[in-house]
Amino acid sequence: MRTVIVVLMIIVAGGVSNATTIVVDWGGGGDYETIRDGLGAATDGDTVLVICGTYYEHGMSVPAGVVLTSELGLPDCVTVDCGGNGRALTCSGTGSHITIRGLTFTGGHADHGGAVLCYGGANVSLEECEFQSNHSDTTGGAIRCDDSTALLDGCTFIGNTSYNFGGAVYFVRGAAEVTQCSFRDNEVEFMGGALTFDEGGEFAVSECQFLENCAHYGGGVACYYGTSMSFDGCLFDGNHATNGGGLYLRTGADVGPAIADCQFYRNEAVHGAGIRSSSSAPRLDRVVLAWNVASFEGGGIQHGTSPGRELVLNNVTCSDNEATQGAGMWLGVNGTVRASKSIVTFNRGGVGVALHYESGVAFLDCTDIYGNEGGDWVGAIAGQLGVGGNIALDPLFCDSSADDYGIHDTSPCAPEHSGGCDLIGAMGIACCGTSTEQTSWGALKAAHR
């Protein structure tokens, strides 16, 4: 055993000794003055360390197993300005893990992946990077990843544009994790203002912000056929689209995506301002949909078109949205929802929950539907009021005008007052001292407009 340990120590020590740090300094104080030359000299295990400054470069390739990092590891240290002349970086082929850390990429322009292209089984991490004002003529204004494994961690995407898919990022097949990233003011003509996930693959998005992005389908994010998706702890605020202001789902899957602990505020669309789900079976847990506006149907969420693919809501708050039909929720042809411990209140325009030609199906329990301008327990769901813990009472939000959908301790949705339903809605008790009282619709409109 001792011989084996000694041999392993020699092998590990040899591996470490072969790794080299290559310094790139535009001012001439390093091994090379350009990132291109530094990467050209690097091999598996090397680190290319870039001294702070602006580098006017494009058309570079990152070898497998190389770490490319700014000296401070922060994006305001190093800027790679492509000047509209091409893509900054390409990562391709199988091999050791590539890490790109602490750089800003701007002015990238390519057919696919304006700033970075990953393909052919590449394994890439982009950490603490910023992508600003890059453009793709087809897919991935900042990044496109094909058949690759990618991690985006702590990155910022601002003002990137594309024509077809993914104003900022386009993932096709492969696998990706996107965590603690921010996407603002990205735009695409067709699908996925910030992000598009397409053609299968395993993808997870957590603790990300999608702010004021724009597309025809999926102002914030679009998930297309065959993708396996999850969203956890994300904010969708102020995004715009024709279909799915915050999120557009057309995965073709019988299960998912899973959406948990997310908030959808102030998104706008014609159909499904917060979320539009078509040919998908999303599950929402502890999700808030509020202040979203659809000019036609589904102020909070629209779901339908695929028999057997159900929308599942657990502890969801859908309040203060607006639409002509289904101000809170619109169930289209073949649309089925199973909602439990959820709140649908104070939505403006149509009824709280609308079923297309009364052909959709809603199974509701421990759900509070109240104060919706077009009506509450009406139409096909009228017979469910008072059954299975369903109620029509003011949930007593702490301060919905400030996006605080926590409830008062005296709320009928609080665990102690819900008649055995435990907590109803996405948010728990967050304030105290207000008692339940009857309120007229006129007073409700004045309070929630």
PDB file of all heavy atoms in Angstrom, residues 107-131:
ATOM      1  N   GLY A 107     -19.259  43.895 -28.037  1.00  0.00           N
ATOM      2  CA  GLY A 107     -19.028  44.094 -29.465  1.00  0.00           C
ATOM      3  C   GLY A 107     -18.834  42.830 -30.264  1.00  0.00           C
ATOM      4  O   GLY A 107     -18.373  42.882 -31.409  1.00  0.00           O
ATOM      5  N   GLY A 108     -19.192  41.663 -29.703  1.00  0.00           N
ATOM      6  CA  GLY A 108     -19.096  40.423 -30.463  1.00  0.00           C
ATOM      7  C   GLY A 108     -20.194  40.341 -31.514  1.00  0.00           C
ATOM      8  O   GLY A 108     -21.312  40.798 -31.303  1.00  0.00           O
ATOM      9  N   HIS A 109     -19.874  39.735 -32.669  1.00  0.00           N
ATOM     10  CA  HIS A 109     -20.851  39.622 -33.759  1.00  0.00           C
ATOM     11  C   HIS A 109     -20.522  38.379 -34.576  1.00  0.00           C
ATOM     12  O   HIS A 109     -19.428  38.231 -35.099  1.00  0.00           O
ATOM     13  CB  HIS A 109     -20.800  40.858 -34.655  1.00  0.00           C
ATOM     14  CG  HIS A 109     -21.847  40.851 -35.734  1.00  0.00           C
ATOM     15  ND1 HIS A 109     -21.880  41.790 -36.732  1.00  0.00           N
ATOM     16  CD2 HIS A 109     -22.894  40.009 -35.961  1.00  0.00           C
ATOM     17  CE1 HIS A 109     -22.906  41.540 -37.542  1.00  0.00           C
ATOM     18  NE2 HIS A 109     -23.523  40.461 -37.097  1.00  0.00           N
ATOM     19  N   ALA A 110     -21.519  37.463 -34.644  1.00  0.00           N
ATOM     20  CA  ALA A 110     -21.318  36.223 -35.392  1.00  0.00           C
ATOM     21  C   ALA A 110     -22.680  35.670 -35.797  1.00  0.00           C
ATOM     22  O   ALA A 110     -23.717  36.127 -35.331  1.00  0.00           O
ATOM     23  CB  ALA A 110     -20.564  35.201 -34.540  1.00  0.00           C
ATOM     24  N   ASP A 111     -22.662  34.668 -36.678  1.00  0.00           N
ATOM     25  CA  ASP A 111     -23.914  34.012 -37.052  1.00  0.00           C
ATOM     26  C   ASP A 111     -24.535  33.306 -35.852  1.00  0.00           C
ATOM     27  O   ASP A 111     -25.749  33.360 -35.644  1.00  0.00           O
ATOM     28  CB  ASP A 111     -23.668  32.995 -38.170  1.00  0.00           C
ATOM     29  CG  ASP A 111     -23.412  33.663 -39.504  1.00  0.00           C
ATOM     30  OD1 ASP A 111     -23.733  34.851 -39.636  1.00  0.00           O
ATOM     31  OD2 ASP A 111     -22.876  32.996 -40.403  1.00  0.00           O
ATOM     32  N   HIS A 112     -23.721  32.596 -35.065  1.00  0.00           N
ATOM     33  CA  HIS A 112     -24.176  31.870 -33.887  1.00  0.00           C
ATOM     34  C   HIS A 112     -23.229  32.184 -32.729  1.00  0.00           C
ATOM     35  O   HIS A 112     -22.017  32.034 -32.855  1.00  0.00           O
ATOM     36  CB  HIS A 112     -24.168  30.360 -34.133  1.00  0.00           C
ATOM     37  CG  HIS A 112     -25.024  29.922 -35.275  1.00  0.00           C
ATOM     38  ND1 HIS A 112     -26.377  29.780 -35.178  1.00  0.00           N
ATOM     39  CD2 HIS A 112     -24.698  29.607 -36.553  1.00  0.00           C
ATOM     40  CE1 HIS A 112     -26.874  29.381 -36.332  1.00  0.00           C
ATOM     41  NE2 HIS A 112     -25.868  29.270 -37.187  1.00  0.00           N
ATOM     42  N   GLY A 113     -23.788  32.599 -31.596  1.00  0.00           N
ATOM     43  CA  GLY A 113     -22.944  32.904 -30.445  1.00  0.00           C
ATOM     44  C   GLY A 113     -22.107  34.142 -30.694  1.00  0.00           C
ATOM     45  O   GLY A 113     -20.951  34.042 -31.103  1.00  0.00           O
ATOM     46  N   GLY A 114     -22.693  35.306 -30.425  1.00  0.00           N
ATOM     47  CA  GLY A 114     -22.007  36.546 -30.749  1.00  0.00           C
ATOM     48  C   GLY A 114     -20.673  36.719 -30.063  1.00  0.00           C
ATOM     49  O   GLY A 114     -19.722  37.232 -30.652  1.00  0.00           O
ATOM     50  N   ALA A 115     -20.559  36.285 -28.796  1.00  0.00           N
ATOM     51  CA  ALA A 115     -19.311  36.441 -28.049  1.00  0.00           C
ATOM     52  C   ALA A 115     -18.601  35.117 -27.813  1.00  0.00           C
ATOM     53  O   ALA A 115     -17.374  35.033 -27.888  1.00  0.00           O
ATOM     54  CB  ALA A 115     -19.570  37.129 -26.715  1.00  0.00           C
ATOM     55  N   VAL A 116     -19.370  34.047 -27.497  1.00  0.00           N
ATOM     56  CA  VAL A 116     -18.778  32.747 -27.171  1.00  0.00           C
ATOM     57  C   VAL A 116     -19.587  31.638 -27.835  1.00  0.00           C
ATOM     58  O   VAL A 116     -20.818  31.638 -27.778  1.00  0.00           O
ATOM     59  CB  VAL A 116     -18.737  32.513 -25.644  1.00  0.00           C
ATOM     60  CG1 VAL A 116     -18.223  31.109 -25.320  1.00  0.00           C
ATOM     61  CG2 VAL A 116     -17.878  33.570 -24.952  1.00  0.00           C
ATOM     62  N   LEU A 117     -18.884  30.686 -28.439  1.00  0.00           N
ATOM     63  CA  LEU A 117     -19.516  29.499 -29.024  1.00  0.00           C
ATOM     64  C   LEU A 117     -18.887  28.257 -28.408  1.00  0.00           C
ATOM     65  O   LEU A 117     -17.661  28.106 -28.399  1.00  0.00           O
ATOM     66  CB  LEU A 117     -19.321  29.468 -30.537  1.00  0.00           C
ATOM     67  CG  LEU A 117     -19.830  28.217 -31.260  1.00  0.00           C
ATOM     68  CD1 LEU A 117     -21.353  28.109 -31.157  1.00  0.00           C
ATOM     69  CD2 LEU A 117     -19.403  28.225 -32.726  1.00  0.00           C
ATOM     70  N   CYS A 118     -19.737  27.365 -27.868  1.00  0.00           N
ATOM     71  CA  CYS A 118     -19.291  26.087 -27.323  1.00  0.00           C
ATOM     72  C   CYS A 118     -19.983  24.981 -28.109  1.00  0.00           C
ATOM     73  O   CYS A 118     -21.211  25.010 -28.246  1.00  0.00           O
ATOM     74  CB  CYS A 118     -19.650  25.948 -25.851  1.00  0.00           C
ATOM     75  SG  CYS A 118     -19.152  27.345 -24.821  1.00  0.00           S
ATOM     76  N   TYR A 119     -19.215  23.992 -28.568  1.00  0.00           N
ATOM     77  CA  TYR A 119     -19.846  22.912 -29.333  1.00  0.00           C
ATOM     78  C   TYR A 119     -18.978  21.657 -29.297  1.00  0.00           C
ATOM     79  O   TYR A 119     -17.836  21.667 -28.819  1.00  0.00           O
ATOM     80  CB  TYR A 119     -20.104  23.359 -30.779  1.00  0.00           C
ATOM     81  CG  TYR A 119     -18.865  23.509 -31.636  1.00  0.00           C
ATOM     82  CD1 TYR A 119     -18.440  22.475 -32.469  1.00  0.00           C
ATOM     83  CD2 TYR A 119     -18.118  24.685 -31.628  1.00  0.00           C
ATOM     84  CE1 TYR A 119     -17.312  22.613 -33.257  1.00  0.00           C
ATOM     85  CE2 TYR A 119     -16.991  24.838 -32.406  1.00  0.00           C
ATOM     86  CZ  TYR A 119     -16.594  23.795 -33.233  1.00  0.00           C
ATOM     87  OH  TYR A 119     -15.472  23.921 -34.003  1.00  0.00           O
ATOM     88  N   GLY A 120     -19.580  20.568 -29.804  1.00  0.00           N
ATOM     89  CA  GLY A 120     -18.822  19.328 -29.966  1.00  0.00           C
ATOM     90  C   GLY A 120     -18.399  18.663 -28.682  1.00  0.00           C
ATOM     91  O   GLY A 120     -17.322  18.067 -28.608  1.00  0.00           O
ATOM     92  N   GLY A 121     -19.235  18.757 -27.625  1.00  0.00           N
ATOM     93  CA  GLY A 121     -18.904  18.093 -26.374  1.00  0.00           C
ATOM     94  C   GLY A 121     -18.022  18.889 -25.444  1.00  0.00           C
ATOM     95  O   GLY A 121     -17.480  18.339 -24.471  1.00  0.00           O
ATOM     96  N   ALA A 122     -17.896  20.186 -25.672  1.00  0.00           N
ATOM     97  CA  ALA A 122     -17.086  21.026 -24.786  1.00  0.00           C
ATOM     98  C   ALA A 122     -17.665  21.036 -23.370  1.00  0.00           C
ATOM     99  O   ALA A 122     -18.873  20.917 -23.175  1.00  0.00           O
ATOM    100  CB  ALA A 122     -17.013  22.443 -25.340  1.00  0.00           C
ATOM    101  N   ASN A 123     -16.784  21.192 -22.394  1.00  0.00           N
ATOM    102  CA  ASN A 123     -17.159  21.264 -20.980  1.00  0.00           C
ATOM    103  C   ASN A 123     -16.634  22.595 -20.448  1.00  0.00           C
ATOM    104  O   ASN A 123     -15.438  22.755 -20.226  1.00  0.00           O
ATOM    105  CB  ASN A 123     -16.551  20.084 -20.230  1.00  0.00           C
ATOM    106  CG  ASN A 123     -17.067  19.965 -18.807  1.00  0.00           C
ATOM    107  OD1 ASN A 123     -17.607  20.912 -18.254  1.00  0.00           O
ATOM    108  ND2 ASN A 123     -16.890  18.800 -18.213  1.00  0.00           N
ATOM    109  N   VAL A 124     -17.534  23.563 -20.257  1.00  0.00           N
ATOM    110  CA  VAL A 124     -17.121  24.947 -20.050  1.00  0.00           C
ATOM    111  C   VAL A 124     -17.827  25.559 -18.842  1.00  0.00           C
ATOM    112  O   VAL A 124     -19.027  25.385 -18.659  1.00  0.00           O
ATOM    113  CB  VAL A 124     -17.447  25.801 -21.300  1.00  0.00           C
ATOM    114  CG1 VAL A 124     -16.973  27.236 -21.103  1.00  0.00           C
ATOM    115  CG2 VAL A 124     -16.808  25.206 -22.538  1.00  0.00           C
ATOM    116  N   SER A 125     -17.064  26.308 -18.027  1.00  0.00           N
ATOM    117  CA  SER A 125     -17.635  27.147 -16.971  1.00  0.00           C
ATOM    118  C   SER A 125     -17.321  28.599 -17.281  1.00  0.00           C
ATOM    119  O   SER A 125     -16.167  28.950 -17.575  1.00  0.00           O
ATOM    120  CB  SER A 125     -17.041  26.795 -15.606  1.00  0.00           C
ATOM    121  OG  SER A 125     -17.448  25.518 -15.183  1.00  0.00           O
ATOM    122  N   LEU A 126     -18.347  29.441 -17.226  1.00  0.00           N
ATOM    123  CA  LEU A 126     -18.168  30.887 -17.319  1.00  0.00           C
ATOM    124  C   LEU A 126     -18.593  31.483 -15.992  1.00  0.00           C
ATOM    125  O   LEU A 126     -19.761  31.381 -15.605  1.00  0.00           O
ATOM    126  CB  LEU A 126     -18.989  31.459 -18.470  1.00  0.00           C
ATOM    127  CG  LEU A 126     -18.492  31.024 -19.850  1.00  0.00           C
ATOM    128  CD1 LEU A 126     -19.526  30.179 -20.541  1.00  0.00           C
ATOM    129  CD2 LEU A 126     -18.135  32.235 -20.697  1.00  0.00           C
ATOM    130  N   GLU A 127     -17.647  32.090 -15.287  1.00  0.00           N
ATOM    131  CA  GLU A 127     -17.871  32.558 -13.928  1.00  0.00           C
ATOM    132  C   GLU A 127     -17.576  34.053 -13.812  1.00  0.00           C
ATOM    133  O   GLU A 127     -16.530  34.517 -14.268  1.00  0.00           O
ATOM    134  CB  GLU A 127     -16.980  31.780 -12.955  1.00  0.00           C
ATOM    135  CG  GLU A 127     -17.160  30.264 -13.042  1.00  0.00           C
ATOM    136  CD  GLU A 127     -16.081  29.492 -12.303  1.00  0.00           C
ATOM    137  OE1 GLU A 127     -15.200  30.146 -11.704  1.00  0.00           O
ATOM    138  OE2 GLU A 127     -16.111  28.251 -12.334  1.00  0.00           O
ATOM    139  N   GLU A 128     -18.490  34.788 -13.203  1.00  0.00           N
ATOM    140  CA  GLU A 128     -18.307  36.221 -12.950  1.00  0.00           C
ATOM    141  C   GLU A 128     -17.904  36.979 -14.214  1.00  0.00           C
ATOM    142  O   GLU A 128     -17.032  37.851 -14.193  1.00  0.00           O
ATOM    143  CB  GLU A 128     -17.253  36.442 -11.855  1.00  0.00           C
ATOM    144  CG  GLU A 128     -17.580  35.799 -10.527  1.00  0.00           C
ATOM    145  CD  GLU A 128     -18.813  36.405  -9.855  1.00  0.00           C
ATOM    146  OE1 GLU A 128     -19.132  37.570 -10.150  1.00  0.00           O
ATOM    147  OE2 GLU A 128     -19.438  35.710  -9.038  1.00  0.00           O
ATOM    148  N   CYS A 129     -18.560  36.648 -15.324  1.00  0.00           N
ATOM    149  CA  CYS A 129     -18.314  37.346 -16.576  1.00  0.00           C
ATOM    150  C   CYS A 129     -19.484  38.270 -16.904  1.00  0.00           C
ATOM    151  O   CYS A 129     -20.599  38.076 -16.433  1.00  0.00           O
ATOM    152  CB  CYS A 129     -18.104  36.363 -17.718  1.00  0.00           C
ATOM    153  SG  CYS A 129     -16.555  35.433 -17.631  1.00  0.00           S
ATOM    154  N   GLU A 130     -19.229  39.267 -17.737  1.00  0.00           N
ATOM    155  CA  GLU A 130     -20.287  40.169 -18.202  1.00  0.00           C
ATOM    156  C   GLU A 130     -20.302  40.175 -19.721  1.00  0.00           C
ATOM    157  O   GLU A 130     -19.255  40.236 -20.369  1.00  0.00           O
ATOM    158  CB  GLU A 130     -20.063  41.578 -17.666  1.00  0.00           C
ATOM    159  CG  GLU A 130     -21.179  42.539 -18.033  1.00  0.00           C
ATOM    160  CD  GLU A 130     -21.111  43.851 -17.270  1.00  0.00           C
ATOM    161  OE1 GLU A 130     -20.963  43.806 -16.030  1.00  0.00           O
ATOM    162  OE2 GLU A 130     -21.210  44.918 -17.921  1.00  0.00           O
ATOM    163  N   PHE A 131     -21.525  40.122 -20.270  1.00  0.00           N
ATOM    164  CA  PHE A 131     -21.714  40.127 -21.720  1.00  0.00           C
ATOM    165  C   PHE A 131     -22.612  41.312 -22.053  1.00  0.00           C
ATOM    166  O   PHE A 131     -23.770  41.353 -21.631  1.00  0.00           O
ATOM    167  CB  PHE A 131     -22.342  38.820 -22.178  1.00  0.00           C
ATOM    168  CG  PHE A 131     -21.474  37.617 -21.942  1.00  0.00           C
ATOM    169  CD1 PHE A 131     -21.452  36.991 -20.698  1.00  0.00           C
ATOM    170  CD2 PHE A 131     -20.649  37.127 -22.941  1.00  0.00           C
ATOM    171  CE1 PHE A 131     -20.647  35.889 -20.465  1.00  0.00           C
ATOM    172  CE2 PHE A 131     -19.829  36.030 -22.715  1.00  0.00           C
ATOM    173  CZ  PHE A 131     -19.829  35.409 -21.477  1.00  0.00           C
TER     174      PHE A 131
END
